[in-house]
């Protein structure tokens, strides 16, 4: 019984120690200790996820989020991204979305790319723009001057993000948020240009290279 508690997870280990002491007095005491080992509503919720390459970006990464109530400390570490170019990154969520990452079958127009629009049935619209400063609403989705630029292809990002309403925060905590890092240098010429894949379906003034997803991962 005590043995099982030790493997019950982060935080529970400490409580299991308390239960061991309580167990000396009475078995009912050990039961109430087990009861308190259940996370309270306000206890931090830890999520993480692997970021997998999309569109042959060659990138890889990881995401973590620690929720305290409706606020989350979000961290993204990635490598292998197009160097020295802005990489828009968002937390996507849609109540009607599948809450997962796209796959090759989502390439509706068979152009061998998954653009942002083709991924929307999977990950939904932007919920949070994971900018380096200022606004984090969907309006900053393409604020390319406020996103990491991946020197040497690497991103190490950390920021506290507020979520509202509570139902949305709950959905993310329940594993329905999808992280997408955008920006793929399809033709490998060291810049986002229209020769790579034409204009973005989101904003024709931007090359599709700037908006195509490079990494995707579900935050669970
Ligand atoms: Cu996005």
């Amino acid at each position: 019984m005590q043995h099982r508690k030790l493997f019950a997870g982060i935080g529970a280990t400490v409580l299991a120690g308390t239960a061991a002491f309580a167990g000396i007095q009475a078995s009912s005491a050990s039961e109430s200790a087990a009861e308190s080992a259940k996370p309270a509503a306000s206890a931090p919720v830890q999520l993480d996820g692997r970021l997998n390459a999309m569109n042959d970006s060659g990138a890889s990464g990881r995401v973590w989020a620690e929720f305290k109530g409706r606020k989350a400390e979000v961290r993204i570490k990635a490598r292998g991204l197009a160097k020295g170019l802005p990489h828009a990154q968002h937390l996507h969520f849609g109540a009607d979305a599948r809450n997962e990452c796209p796959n090759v079958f989502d390439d509706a127009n068979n152009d061998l790319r998954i653009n942002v629009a083709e991924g929307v049935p999977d990950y939904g619209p932007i919920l949070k723009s994971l900018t380096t400063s200022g606004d984090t609403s969907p309006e900053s989705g393409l604020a390319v001057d406020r996103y990491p630029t991946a020197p040497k292809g690497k991103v190490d990002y950390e920021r506290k993000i507020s979520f509202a309403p509570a139902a949305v925060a709950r959905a993310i905590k329940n594993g329905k948020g999808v992280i997408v890092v955008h920006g793929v240098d399809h033709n490998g010429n060291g810049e986002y240009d229209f020769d790579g894949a034409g204009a973005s379906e989101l904003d024709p003034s931007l090359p599709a290279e700037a908006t195509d997803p490079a990494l995707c991962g579900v935050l669970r």
Side-chain angles (χ1 to χ4, degrees):
M1 181 73 181
Q2 293 305 330
H3 194 68
R4 251 179 59 205
K5 274 191 202 128
L6 281 171
F7 291 90
I10 306 160
T13 311
V14 178
L15 287 162
T18 316
F21 280 106
I24 296 164
Q25 293 164 356
S27 62
S28 65
S30 136
E31 257 168 50
S32 74
E35 195 62 35
S36 67
K38 284 180 192 163
S42 58
V45 175
Q46 317 263 1
L47 303 165
D48 67 355
R50 214 172 99 172
L51 299 176
N52 294 308
M54 286 188 60
N55 291 308
D56 293 321
S57 68
S60 61
R62 216 164 166 82
V63 57
W64 300 263
E66 185 181 55
F67 269 89
K68 285 177 184 155
R70 290 186 213 171
K71 285 203 169 126
E73 188 78 39
V74 177
R75 185 165 191 208
I76 292 175
K77 277 190 92 169
R79 60 194 305 154
L81 289 161
K83 296 180 183 119
L85 296 171
H87 291 276
Q89 48 183 21
H90 315 121
L91 176 62
H92 287 250
F93 167 73
D96 302 323
R98 291 194 282 268
N99 310 122
E100 56 191 41
C101 287
N103 61 46
V104 288
F105 300 108
D106 295 305
D107 182 15
N109 61 359
N110 289 307
D111 65 351
L112 306 180
R113 291 166 43 227
I114 305 283
N115 65 28
V116 178
E118 286 168 335
V120 165
D122 294 288
Y123 46 61
I126 297 171
L127 177 68
K128 294 289 170 187
S129 296
L130 302 175
T131 52
T132 51
S133 66
D135 175 58
T136 59
S137 78
E139 279 86 85
S140 292
L142 293 174
V144 284
D145 55 335
R146 287 188 289 119
Y147 283 109
T149 52
K152 295 180 182 170
K154 291 183 181 171
V155 166
D156 192 347
Y157 170 89
E158 203 165 352
R159 192 166 179 195
K160 194 169 267 179
I161 309 283
S162 295
F163 289 82
V168 171
R170 209 157 41 237
I172 305 306
K173 288 183 207 176
N174 285 336
K176 294 187 171 174
V178 181
I179 299 286
V180 184
V181 179
H182 303 260
V184 181
D185 183 10
H186 287 289
N187 57 0
N189 65 351
E191 56 183 31
Y192 294 146
D193 60 343
F194 293 87
D195 296 336
S200 171
E201 79 283 3
L202 302 179
D203 178 351
S205 74
L206 284 175
E209 288 193 338
T211 60
D212 276 359
L215 285 169
C216 183
V218 182
L219 199 48
R220 295 188 212 276

